[in-house]
Amino acid sequence: MKRLLLAAVAGFAALSAASCPAWTLNIRDGSLKYEARELGNEIQYKVNGKLAGTARKLGDEIVYRDAQGQHAGSVRKLGNEWVFKDKNGKAIGSAVFYGEELTYKDARGRHTGTARVFAGKTQYKNGRGVDIGSADTDKMPLRPIPLENLMAGNNEPAACMTVIASVSLEAPGARAGLRAGDIIIGMAGSEKTLFDFPNGSCPKVHQSMAAQINKAKETEGSQLIIYRPAAGEKSKVSGRILKTAPMPKGSRGFIYNTADNGPSFTRKDSLKYIGELKKLYESGSPEDAEIKVPDPAAFAKDTRDIPEAHQEFREVLVNGKAVTGWFWISDNTGRLMSPEDIRSRQERALKESQPKVLIKSYPGAKIFVSAVADSGEGDPALNSKFTYIGVTDMSGVFHYSGKEEYTLPLNAKCLAFSASVVDIDMNEVMQDPMITSLPANTKPAVRDAMIQQVITIRSAQRGLRPELKSGYVRIDADKKEYILK
């Protein structure tokens, strides 16, 4: 079934604010992967890696076009609610804030998911409370919303199954016969199987299956019963029930997910599919799983240096198909890294490797940086090649994110300042009763504001007029401190 991807930014701010950092959004709905990326004043979106269209603000709404440039739908903000419409103008869903959570509903008002900001990212869940993806921004982009009939279908009863998403081919699981795409039925010899767990609640099914898998992990010589779909199988059971070889106690080296859709079944047909699977399971004894592990030397490794990550020889489900090769694994989480994770890790490492410098100037001076120009004239605030990064405190020291050390951006060439300077004795200012009477725990920003107020009052009393000063300093690779005056 064709799906329409709709993605926008809450309040539409990110579509027009060029100064905001660009964001990316990744959501997986069954075998379909939605991606949205902010590019200038529009949003580009993809489905399963292929360009599906763009979104752009036109007046008071966001208009979507497909890959051929044809109208695909729109979203308009009405009060505290966003209303989504398809290409024919028919309402297909809405999103509205309740406290800090954005709640999604279909056209009939049925709950279809939520979005919430956590740890600087926007986290998304579907209508059953299952995590489906995130956006690397706290601006809460509106998630991709399929057509109304698809959203309505996602509220109908369904069966949840546990599928192996990734298996390390050098670990005990693979050497016992497990492969990506296998559906786990249970542990050999156990009275409980996948068919005994409640349908319709993927978290509960996952919890029950995890208990079975963990029990097998703690049992020496345990075996798993699995179903291996036939090549190209979709929604009709035509594969085989298998039993793995005995496995040693401990980690088996595979990752599994529980969902109501997977590589070999859809949500719509999941109840029928699990019914056929149960009949096949009860019709006879499982076969022994084949043990055939590819040679890792036949697959090329990635030559990039990715910090806090390592490569493992794995079989992984990619867009519903098993792919064999060397994949990047996070050292921190042990999880498979997506291309977005790898790119983000590289960008962060590159940023952290840039020089850290101390910057000093006049009290209250505005500081700018450029990666384009290595010099300039006049006020840098009027120079489009320079970016404002902050202001010095009343001691003339520049702080960035609470730290005195500032990490220069990639390819930074020049620092600049502009300041309104008054010829006044700062020691005298600091002895003013307005400053000395401040409590010891006064916040730096409040203290600086009071110092500025004292400077303004004393300057006015003495008839002193501020002098506007600005300047540019070329960045030297070996220099650690810059005095901008």
Side-chain angles (χ1 to χ4, degrees), residues 74-338:
S74 64
V75 60
R76 182 189 294 267
K77 190 171 187 292
L78 300 174
N80 194 38
E81 183 178 35
W82 286 265
V83 177
F84 293 86
K85 294 183 179 181
D86 65 16
K87 64 181 180 180
N88 298 315
K90 182 179 179 180
I92 59 173
S94 64
V96 63
F97 273 105
Y98 291 101
E100 297 181 353
E101 191 168 76
L102 188 63
T103 298
Y104 290 86
K105 296 180 180 180
D106 64 16
R108 288 184 280 178
R110 297 186 298 183
H111 178 71
T112 58
T114 60
R116 177 185 287 271
V117 173
F118 179 75
K121 291 187 175 184
T122 304
Q123 306 289 341
Y124 299 88
K125 293 185 177 182
N126 64 18
R128 297 177 301 285
V130 178
D131 290 327
I132 55 175
S134 66
D136 56 359
T137 176
D138 60 2
K139 301 299 182 182
M140 201 176 284
L142 295 177
R143 72 177 193 189
I145 296 189
L147 294 171
E148 179 189 5
N149 58 353
L150 180 63
M151 295 299 291
N154 280 348
N155 284 321
E156 299 301 328
C160 303
M161 286 164 266
T162 301
V163 179
I164 295 179
S166 169
V167 57
S168 174
L169 294 172
E170 298 179 297
R175 299 191 181 282
L178 289 177
R179 287 292 179 271
D182 289 346
I183 297 174
I184 302 175
I185 294 176
M187 187 175 92
S190 173
E191 295 181 358
K192 294 286 186 179
T193 67
L194 170 67
F195 312 113
D196 297 309
F197 304 133
N199 286 321
S201 174
C202 292
K204 290 182 179 180
V205 172
H206 188 82
Q207 186 178 20
S208 299
M209 291 303 299
Q212 286 272 305
I213 294 167
N214 290 334
K215 182 179 179 181
K217 187 192 302 184
E218 297 168 0
T219 305
E220 183 69 30
S222 63
Q223 298 169 276
L224 290 178
I225 305 298
I226 58 174
Y227 170 71
R228 180 161 300 160
E233 179 177 317
K234 201 67 176 179
S235 299
K236 182 174 177 59
V237 170
S238 54
R240 296 177 296 158
I241 303 293
L242 304 174
K243 180 169 66 174
T244 68
M247 290 178 276
K249 189 176 181 180
S251 176
R252 275 74 191 280
F254 63 91
I255 297 171
Y256 54 94
N257 299 315
T258 302
D260 53 18
N261 47 63
S264 59
F265 60 96
T266 64
R267 186 180 201 283
K268 180 180 178 181
D269 298 319
S270 60
L271 284 172
K272 173 177 171 289
Y273 188 82
I274 200 172
E276 293 178 0
L277 185 54
K278 184 178 181 182
K279 287 182 180 179
L280 178 63
Y281 171 73
E282 293 175 343
S283 66
S285 300
E287 305 173 38
D288 291 335
E290 305 94 336
I291 301 174
K292 187 177 180 181
V293 179
D295 181 7
F299 296 82
K301 277 190 172 185
D302 191 337
T303 58
R304 293 176 295 177
D305 182 19
I306 308 299
E308 300 177 16
H310 63 280
Q311 291 182 75
E312 288 185 6
F313 186 51
R314 284 180 172 257
E315 187 177 64
V316 176
L317 287 180
V318 179
N319 296 329
K321 295 183 179 180
V323 177
T324 300
W326 291 93
F327 291 86
W328 286 104
I329 307 297
S330 169
D331 291 341
N332 299 325
T333 65
R335 290 285 179 177
L336 191 72
M337 296 175 67
S338 68

Side-chain angles (χ1 to χ4, degrees), residues 395-443:
S395 298
V397 179
F398 178 69
H399 294 79
Y400 191 83
S401 298
K403 298 178 181 179
E404 287 191 8
E405 279 192 332
Y406 171 65
T407 302
L408 292 170
L410 185 64
N411 298 323
K413 294 181 178 180
C414 189
L415 290 168
F417 78 95
S418 65
S420 179
V421 181
V422 179
D423 186 12
I424 194 167
D425 186 352
M426 286 302 296
N427 289 327
E428 182 182 328
V429 171
M430 298 306 293
Q431 294 304 313
D432 188 284
M434 289 179 65
I435 307 303
T436 57
S437 63
L438 290 173
N441 62 349
T442 301
K443 293 183 178 180

